[in-house]
Amino acid sequence: MEKAIELLREKGLAAQAKKSGRIAAEGIVYTYVDEAKKVGVVIEVNAETDFVAKNESFQSFVASCAKAVAEQNPATVEELMACKADDQFTVEEALREKILTIGENMKIRRFARYEGEVVTYSHGGGRIGVMVKFDAPADIAAKDGFKAMAKDVAMQVAAANPTYLDKAGVPADEIAKEKEILTQQAINEGKPANIAEKMVMGRINKYYKEVCLLEQPFIKDGDITVSKYIENCAKELGGEIKAVSFVRFEKGEGLEKERIILPMKSPV
């Protein structure tokens, strides 16, 4: 029996090594919240095909990875691989078993974990996963109005894809570079220096509205910003609410996808 187990393990390692070079840019972004412990997780696990992403066994594995992140708090993917996926296997062993049984290369790409008042949102069957953390008193966070507001903000992140939370989060060198580009554009348009400066400031404010979550027009009411929407909800609920941070994962973003080249038909 021990020899059989050893052979199966060796077979699994060989299968994993053989498939490891194959492109895995499909898969799923999964979100998980432990309401009792106030811990949220968003994780991306990749496979080679969208078909496998819909496989119940694959989805169950991803869910176990998310729970391992929530409960065991690994700092990196490497640490996650050593975590317990269940009573029998580590995450690494469970991943190897899935590669062997399903027959595709799979990789745990990344994850994020927040503690506190968190909300998650999944869009497109796991194509996009969002997690937002708020600072709010427990009595306010327990209200339905807070939960509805938090979900709206998470949906905003999914739809508008902001890069930063607020103006303070934008790196100074990035703003300097943007000003340089915009100033040159204004000069190329033949604007005087004083007019160019005003144009640049106006365009920088527009840039903030594009990249900063709290500066963006709220998707359900374009007359107010996301910041104002949160402020209005806080007043209605009788307390203070602050968006602290967010994370947005989109399946396969930045990964090279395998291109299928169809044979050309010979001319008739």
Side-chain angles (χ1 to χ4, degrees):
M1 182 63 73
E2 289 179 2
K3 185 63 176 176
I5 292 171
E6 184 180 334
L7 287 171
L8 285 171
R9 288 189 65 193
E10 289 175 358
K11 184 179 179 182
L13 286 169
Q16 185 176 13
K18 187 176 180 180
K19 294 177 175 65
S20 63
R22 287 162 31 180
I23 296 171
E26 295 296 335
I28 192 172
V29 178
Y30 181 84
T31 61
Y32 170 78
V33 176
D34 186 326
E35 298 286 357
K37 296 180 180 178
K38 293 188 179 299
V39 175
V41 174
V42 58
I43 185 169
E44 179 182 1
V45 181
N46 299 121
E48 293 180 49
T49 65
D50 187 52
F51 178 77
V52 164
K54 297 174 182 176
N55 180 290
E56 188 176 335
S57 178
F58 175 78
Q59 293 180 355
S60 177
F61 166 70
V62 177
S64 71
C65 291
K67 289 180 181 179
V69 171
E71 294 170 2
Q72 301 171 58
N73 194 18
T76 64
V77 172
E78 288 71 24
E79 287 186 16
L80 172 59
M81 297 294 270
C83 290
K84 279 289 185 181
D86 52 40
D87 293 337
Q88 279 188 300
F89 301 113
T90 64
V91 171
E92 183 175 16
E93 290 167 341
L95 175 62
R96 189 183 307 141
E97 188 269 337
K98 287 292 174 284
I99 292 173
L100 182 61
T101 56
I102 294 177
E104 281 195 9
N105 186 26
M106 300 173 196
K107 292 181 180 178
I108 300 171
R109 184 185 182 194
R110 53 184 174 170
F111 64 83
R113 180 184 185 275
Y114 285 163
E115 294 182 4
E117 300 299 344
V118 297
V119 64
T120 61
Y121 173 71
S122 181
H123 178 76
R127 184 174 66 86
I128 295 172
V130 172
M131 181 167 57
V132 186
K133 180 178 179 179
F134 294 89
D135 184 5
D139 60 326
I140 297 296
K143 295 181 178 181
D144 290 340
F146 172 84
K147 297 182 190 303
M149 177 279 300
K151 184 178 179 182
D152 280 342
V153 174
M155 289 173 66
Q156 172 90 24
V157 174
N161 194 14
T163 309
Y164 306 102
L165 178 69
D166 53 21
K167 292 180 181 180
V170 184
D173 58 345
E174 186 170 322
I175 292 299
K177 185 65 178 177
E178 194 68 19
K179 284 182 178 179
E180 182 183 331
I181 293 170
L182 294 173
T183 300
Q184 191 59 51
Q185 286 178 355
I187 292 171
N188 291 343
E189 293 170 8
K191 307 296 182 183
N194 61 327
I195 300 297
E197 184 177 351
K198 291 180 180 178
M199 287 178 63
V200 167
M201 291 311 299
R203 290 175 179 176
I204 284 293
N205 287 331
K206 184 180 178 182
Y207 176 73
Y208 282 134
K209 289 180 181 293
E210 292 174 354
V211 303
C212 299
L213 171 62
L214 297 182
E215 299 297 322
Q216 289 181 339
F218 179 45
I219 51 175
K220 291 187 175 181
D221 183 355
D223 292 333
I224 61 173
T225 62
V226 173
S227 177
K228 187 63 177 176
Y229 171 62
I230 296 173
E231 183 184 328
N232 291 345
C233 289
K235 287 179 180 178
E236 289 179 11
L237 296 172
E240 292 187 6
I241 302 171
K242 182 181 178 182
V244 177
S245 56
F246 71 88
V247 61
R248 179 188 188 275
F249 290 167
E250 185 165 349
K251 177 187 69 177
E253 60 186 343
L255 293 177
E256 179 188 358
K257 295 193 177 183
E258 190 171 7
R259 291 180 294 178
I260 300 174
I261 302 175
L262 300 175
M264 293 180 63
K265 292 183 179 179
S266 56
V268 179

